[in-house]
mmCIF file of all heavy atoms in Angstrom:
data_model
loop_
_atom_site.group_PDB
_atom_site.id
_atom_site.type_symbol
_atom_site.label_atom_id
_atom_site.label_comp_id
_atom_site.label_asym_id
_atom_site.label_seq_id
_atom_site.Cartn_x
_atom_site.Cartn_y
_atom_site.Cartn_z
ATOM 1 N N GLY A 19 -10.296 17.871 -56.888
ATOM 2 C CA GLY A 19 -11.270 18.799 -57.462
ATOM 3 C C GLY A 19 -10.558 20.060 -57.924
ATOM 4 O O GLY A 19 -9.329 20.151 -57.847
ATOM 5 N N ARG A 21 -10.465 23.000 -56.595
ATOM 6 C CA ARG A 21 -9.795 23.745 -55.515
ATOM 7 C C ARG A 21 -8.383 23.204 -55.304
ATOM 8 O O ARG A 21 -7.460 23.961 -55.010
ATOM 9 C CB ARG A 21 -10.618 23.636 -54.219
ATOM 10 C CG ARG A 21 -10.053 24.428 -53.062
ATOM 11 C CD ARG A 21 -10.227 25.924 -53.268
ATOM 12 N NE ARG A 21 -9.559 26.702 -52.225
ATOM 13 C CZ ARG A 21 -8.294 27.127 -52.290
ATOM 14 N NH1 ARG A 21 -7.553 26.860 -53.359
ATOM 15 N NH2 ARG A 21 -7.770 27.828 -51.317
ATOM 16 N N ALA A 51 2.862 15.865 -58.649
ATOM 17 C CA ALA A 51 3.724 15.353 -59.719
ATOM 18 C C ALA A 51 2.921 15.131 -61.002
ATOM 19 O O ALA A 51 3.340 15.541 -62.093
ATOM 20 C CB ALA A 51 4.394 14.050 -59.277
ATOM 21 N N GLY A 69 14.828 25.017 -62.357
ATOM 22 C CA GLY A 69 13.666 24.457 -61.676
ATOM 23 C C GLY A 69 12.433 24.466 -62.558
ATOM 24 O O GLY A 69 12.534 24.450 -63.787
ATOM 25 N N LYS A 75 2.624 31.337 -71.751
ATOM 26 C CA LYS A 75 1.330 30.685 -71.928
ATOM 27 C C LYS A 75 0.768 30.220 -70.568
ATOM 28 O O LYS A 75 -0.437 30.341 -70.312
ATOM 29 C CB LYS A 75 1.531 29.471 -72.848
ATOM 30 C CG LYS A 75 0.294 28.902 -73.479
ATOM 31 C CD LYS A 75 0.702 27.790 -74.477
ATOM 32 C CE LYS A 75 -0.418 26.767 -74.616
ATOM 33 N NZ LYS A 75 0.026 25.534 -75.279
ATOM 34 N N LEU A 114 20.687 19.692 -28.016
ATOM 35 C CA LEU A 114 21.457 19.904 -29.254
ATOM 36 C C LEU A 114 22.766 19.129 -29.218
ATOM 37 O O LEU A 114 23.188 18.548 -30.211
ATOM 38 C CB LEU A 114 21.745 21.397 -29.462
ATOM 39 C CG LEU A 114 20.576 22.269 -29.928
ATOM 40 C CD1 LEU A 114 21.055 23.707 -30.116
ATOM 41 C CD2 LEU A 114 19.956 21.739 -31.202
ATOM 42 N N ARG A 147 -0.846 23.511 -22.712
ATOM 43 C CA ARG A 147 -2.183 22.930 -22.548
ATOM 44 C C ARG A 147 -2.312 22.191 -21.211
ATOM 45 O O ARG A 147 -3.305 21.514 -20.969
ATOM 46 C CB ARG A 147 -2.477 21.943 -23.695
ATOM 47 C CG ARG A 147 -2.534 22.552 -25.092
ATOM 48 C CD ARG A 147 -3.698 23.527 -25.272
ATOM 49 N NE ARG A 147 -3.670 24.107 -26.610
ATOM 50 C CZ ARG A 147 -2.954 25.178 -26.948
ATOM 51 N NH1 ARG A 147 -2.243 25.816 -26.025
ATOM 52 N NH2 ARG A 147 -2.963 25.626 -28.182
ATOM 53 N N VAL A 157 5.329 7.734 -25.426
ATOM 54 C CA VAL A 157 5.717 8.153 -26.774
ATOM 55 C C VAL A 157 5.751 6.903 -27.648
ATOM 56 O O VAL A 157 6.498 5.974 -27.363
ATOM 57 C CB VAL A 157 7.093 8.851 -26.775
ATOM 58 C CG1 VAL A 157 7.428 9.366 -28.172
ATOM 59 C CG2 VAL A 157 7.138 9.994 -25.760
ATOM 60 N N GLN A 191 18.210 4.690 -24.224
ATOM 61 C CA GLN A 191 18.512 4.048 -22.936
ATOM 62 C C GLN A 191 19.832 4.563 -22.370
ATOM 63 O O GLN A 191 19.949 4.854 -21.188
ATOM 64 C CB GLN A 191 18.588 2.526 -23.105
ATOM 65 C CG GLN A 191 17.298 1.843 -22.708
ATOM 66 C CD GLN A 191 17.222 0.402 -23.156
ATOM 67 O OE1 GLN A 191 18.113 -0.086 -23.857
ATOM 68 N NE2 GLN A 191 16.160 -0.275 -22.758
ATOM 69 N N LEU A 201 13.159 8.126 -17.643
ATOM 70 C CA LEU A 201 12.744 7.746 -18.993
ATOM 71 C C LEU A 201 12.942 6.254 -19.170
ATOM 72 O O LEU A 201 14.036 5.733 -18.956
ATOM 73 C CB LEU A 201 13.605 8.516 -20.015
ATOM 74 C CG LEU A 201 13.650 8.053 -21.468
ATOM 75 C CD1 LEU A 201 12.285 8.218 -22.121
ATOM 76 C CD2 LEU A 201 14.694 8.857 -22.241
ATOM 77 N N CYS A 225 2.909 10.797 -30.768
ATOM 78 C CA CYS A 225 3.417 9.929 -31.830
ATOM 79 C C CYS A 225 3.455 10.693 -33.137
ATOM 80 O O CYS A 225 2.910 11.788 -33.251
ATOM 81 C CB CYS A 225 2.603 8.648 -31.953
ATOM 82 S SG CYS A 225 0.950 8.866 -32.571
ATOM 83 N N GLY A 247 -8.363 7.788 -19.539
ATOM 84 C CA GLY A 247 -9.792 8.075 -19.702
ATOM 85 C C GLY A 247 -10.065 9.528 -20.038
ATOM 86 O O GLY A 247 -9.196 10.220 -20.588
ATOM 87 N N SER A 261 -1.210 13.110 -47.381
ATOM 88 C CA SER A 261 -2.622 12.908 -47.060
ATOM 89 C C SER A 261 -3.498 14.013 -47.635
ATOM 90 O O SER A 261 -3.360 15.182 -47.283
ATOM 91 C CB SER A 261 -2.809 12.871 -45.534
ATOM 92 O OG SER A 261 -2.115 11.794 -44.964
ATOM 93 N N TRP A 266 -7.759 12.988 -44.613
ATOM 94 C CA TRP A 266 -7.910 13.706 -43.331
ATOM 95 C C TRP A 266 -9.296 13.426 -42.744
ATOM 96 O O TRP A 266 -9.441 13.193 -41.543
ATOM 97 C CB TRP A 266 -7.766 15.232 -43.546
ATOM 98 C CG TRP A 266 -6.371 15.767 -43.515
ATOM 99 C CD1 TRP A 266 -5.283 15.284 -44.202
ATOM 100 C CD2 TRP A 266 -5.897 16.910 -42.771
ATOM 101 N NE1 TRP A 266 -4.181 16.057 -43.946
ATOM 102 C CE2 TRP A 266 -4.521 17.061 -43.077
ATOM 103 C CE3 TRP A 266 -6.503 17.823 -41.907
ATOM 104 C CZ2 TRP A 266 -3.746 18.081 -42.527
ATOM 105 C CZ3 TRP A 266 -5.727 18.847 -41.360
ATOM 106 C CH2 TRP A 266 -4.361 18.962 -41.669
ATOM 107 N N ILE A 283 -5.341 22.193 -34.255
ATOM 108 C CA ILE A 283 -4.585 21.788 -35.452
ATOM 109 C C ILE A 283 -3.724 22.989 -35.827
ATOM 110 O O ILE A 283 -4.263 24.052 -36.147
ATOM 111 C CB ILE A 283 -5.497 21.418 -36.644
ATOM 112 C CG1 ILE A 283 -6.427 20.249 -36.281
ATOM 113 C CG2 ILE A 283 -4.651 21.050 -37.869
ATOM 114 C CD1 ILE A 283 -7.351 19.807 -37.406
ATOM 115 N N ASN A 292 15.690 17.363 -43.913
ATOM 116 C CA ASN A 292 15.695 16.655 -45.193
ATOM 117 C C ASN A 292 16.380 15.307 -45.042
ATOM 118 O O ASN A 292 17.366 15.183 -44.335
ATOM 119 C CB ASN A 292 16.376 17.505 -46.270
ATOM 120 C CG ASN A 292 15.484 18.656 -46.709
ATOM 121 O OD1 ASN A 292 14.261 18.546 -46.689
ATOM 122 N ND2 ASN A 292 16.095 19.757 -47.102
ATOM 123 N N LYS A 317 6.675 19.191 -43.994
ATOM 124 C CA LYS A 317 6.121 19.726 -42.750
ATOM 125 C C LYS A 317 4.821 19.000 -42.424
ATOM 126 O O LYS A 317 4.229 18.382 -43.300
ATOM 127 C CB LYS A 317 5.845 21.228 -42.909
ATOM 128 C CG LYS A 317 7.118 22.013 -43.200
ATOM 129 C CD LYS A 317 6.855 23.469 -43.445
ATOM 130 C CE LYS A 317 8.179 24.177 -43.728
ATOM 131 N NZ LYS A 317 8.011 25.618 -43.921
#
Side-chain angles (χ1 to χ4, degrees):
R21 183 71 186 90
K75 197 174 152 194
L114 285 182
R147 296 295 178 275
V157 184
Q191 262 167 355
L201 164 66
C225 69
S261 298
W266 274 49
I283 300 181
N292 286 329
K317 298 176 180 183

